[in-house]
Amino acid sequence: MQTSRCVVLVKPDGVQRGLIGEIIHRFERKGLHMIGLKMIALDDETLSDWYVEHKDKPFFGDLKKFMSSNPVVAILWEGIEASVAIRNILGSTKGREAAPGTIRGDFSMSKQYNIVHASDSAEAGDREQKLIFKDDEIFPWKKMNLDQIYAPDEME
Ligand code: CMP
């Protein structure tokens, strides 16, 4: 199976609450492959593209204001079905309903202030990586232990 890419954002509330390391740790120990990492202040134009599917929702303005309130940390991950694995670790959107053991289940009480974002598909991952990372900010280094993470037939 082919790998795909998924962008994770540690949102302003996750940065403020000192959860950057905790969040990265959860994905690293899962076996995901980090190929990009940066702190970035999201501007209005990028956020309008990023949240284009929410542009007609009543919370769009508040969402953009929140997401630009302080820098976020963007991490580009690669793996087989990366967005599926990552979104399971995130938990459901509303933090107070998210399952214990997930990031939102452990750290969030809110629907909007829900600590992390992740691309919801391989296609979204490709689109979002282009909005955040320049080509020379992506490092597809060879991870030496992939044969311990995936069975041989999964890597064909
Ligand atoms: P995420 O799934 O990362 O991307 C869309 C975001 O919109 C979502 O996280 C929430 O932070 C936010 N969101 C979704 N629904 C609502 C809502 N009803 N009110 C406010 N914010 C919302």
Side-chain angles (χ1 to χ4, degrees):
M1 289 170 86
Q2 285 215 322
T3 58
S4 55
R5 292 178 176 180
C6 179
V7 180
V8 166
L9 295 182
V10 183
K11 296 185 181 186
D13 54 331
V15 173
Q16 285 287 355
R17 290 177 54 190
L19 293 172
I20 299 165
E22 167 77 36
I23 290 166
I24 290 175
H25 183 50
R26 289 184 179 217
F27 297 123
E28 267 193 313
R29 66 186 181 183
K30 176 75 170 169
L32 287 146
H33 181 188
M34 184 196 290
I35 56 169
L37 173 69
K38 69 191 278 193
M39 182 171 268
I40 179 173
L42 294 171
D43 59 28
D44 193 70
E45 193 186 334
T46 307
L47 284 167
S48 294
D49 287 343
W50 187 271
Y51 285 125
V52 68
E53 77 218 58
H54 297 301
K55 72 176 172 22
D56 298 323
K57 306 258 175 70
F59 58 83
F60 186 57
D62 284 346
L63 179 60
K64 287 201 299 179
K65 200 166 151 198
F66 164 59
M67 289 297 291
S68 58
S69 62
N70 61 249
V72 301
V73 170
I75 311 127
L76 183 59
W77 297 101
E78 198 167 68
I80 294 175
E81 297 183 287
S83 65
V84 175
I86 285 173
R87 289 175 72 84
N88 282 333
I89 292 170
L90 256 55
S92 54
T93 302
K94 197 194 278 185
R96 53 188 177 271
E97 290 177 1
T102 63
I103 293 170
R104 289 167 176 162
D106 288 352
F107 300 113
S108 167
M109 282 293 287
S110 169
K111 187 167 192 178
Q112 183 162 346
Y113 294 7
N114 60 3
I115 311 282
V116 268
H117 163 91
S119 321
D120 63 9
S121 64
E123 295 70 32
D126 285 341
R127 186 177 75 83
E128 291 178 2
Q129 79 167 11
K130 289 188 186 110
L131 288 172
I132 298 271
F133 292 94
K134 302 187 187 95
D135 286 350
D136 64 1
E137 293 172 335
I138 298 174
F139 302 88
W141 54 281
K142 186 168 166 53
K143 193 166 161 63
M144 301 308 282
N145 62 349
L146 286 178
D147 61 344
Q148 303 297 311
I149 293 171
Y150 300 108
D153 66 319
E154 291 173 303
M155 292 197 290
E156 280 166 10

